[in-house]
Amino acid sequence: MRPLRPLGADPSDAELLRAVARGDTDALATLYDRHGGWLHARLTRRCADPETVQEVLQDTFVTVWRSAASHSGGEAGGWLWTIAARRLVDARRTAARTAEARSAHAHHDPAAARATTPSAEDRVLDALEYGTVGAALDRLSPELRAVLRATVVDGLTTREAAQLLGIPEGTVKSRARRARRELRSLLAQLSPLPTPHPLGGTP
């Protein structure tokens, strides 16, 4: 479907997303050309499997096609990365469901064992979604939890998180500090033994 009205020579992200919401495939292609490169690079830093990265990137823009109308306006970078990061988490969960079968083969293949061993970053991200850390995260107030999820789980910069959440950058920083303090306190209550903190620093 063609756009209801023509876009300018250099449309903004918001204009492109409005066009995508109207069913304009050319606008989606332009959005991909504009953001696909850095999304691919950032996903590659968090996942060493190129096939998974490509699949996540494709799923991200399928999601954009389906949900462009939900974007609140402005630059799309933070919103796109949130989608990509969550698709990456979904991909890891899918991989985890087949890990048992793969590990049986790994007993006879050391190379396969190394391939299925999660990276340190993967273990940290899993800890933020599940287990004690996930339980502590759920006990934070919604505004503090949203900032931590944006900056730690989704990996957004302060500026991107501010755009995504609709709050000033200074507020993102102050809430992140408060959230880390409260999370450390909650972890101390939930986990009696001292463990390395997944968000860095010391309690």
Side-chain angles (χ1 to χ4, degrees):
M1 182 185 299
R2 304 303 300 173
L4 298 180
R5 54 181 178 277
L7 294 170
D10 187 23
S12 67
D13 287 348
E15 290 173 323
L16 287 170
L17 284 166
R18 285 195 294 270
V20 171
R22 297 194 299 269
D24 185 354
T25 56
D26 289 341
L28 182 67
T30 300
L31 202 66
Y32 182 93
D33 290 342
R34 182 177 294 179
H35 294 283
W38 70 262
L39 282 169
H40 185 278
R42 185 175 283 188
L43 286 167
T44 299
R45 289 197 293 270
R46 295 181 66 170
C47 177
D49 181 9
E51 291 185 6
T52 299
V53 168
Q54 192 59 42
E55 178 182 337
V56 168
L57 189 61
Q58 291 174 357
D59 287 347
T60 296
F61 280 91
V62 169
T63 302
V64 170
W65 175 255
R66 293 172 176 169
S67 59
S70 68
H71 183 248
S72 59
E75 295 300 315
W79 184 68
L80 287 169
W81 176 244
T82 297
I83 294 172
R86 289 173 182 168
R87 294 289 79 75
L88 183 57
V89 169
D90 290 343
R92 285 180 174 136
R93 287 171 177 165
T94 299
R97 286 195 289 267
T98 63
E100 184 176 351
R102 291 164 57 190
S103 65
H105 173 65
H107 287 302
H108 306 286
D109 186 350
R114 289 192 298 271
T116 57
T117 300
S119 68
E121 185 178 47
D122 287 342
R123 291 194 294 271
V124 169
L125 291 171
D126 286 342
L128 289 167
E129 290 290 318
Y130 309 106
T132 303
V133 178
L137 195 61
D138 287 340
R139 295 191 183 189
L140 293 177
S141 62
E143 65 271 14
L144 298 185
R145 185 167 61 245
V147 166
L148 268 193
R149 287 196 179 278
T151 58
V152 178
V153 180
D154 296 334
L156 302 184
T157 65
T158 298
R159 181 172 180 270
E160 290 168 343
Q163 291 176 341
L164 176 69
L165 300 173
I167 58 179
E169 291 182 40
T171 302
V172 170
K173 293 178 181 178
S174 63
R175 287 183 182 177
R177 287 193 295 269
R178 283 177 51 207
R180 288 169 190 266
R181 287 196 301 269
E182 291 188 18
L183 191 60
R184 289 186 181 110
S185 176
L186 288 166
L187 283 172
Q189 298 171 29
L190 293 170
S191 179
L193 296 176
T195 56
H197 196 278
L199 301 184
T202 56

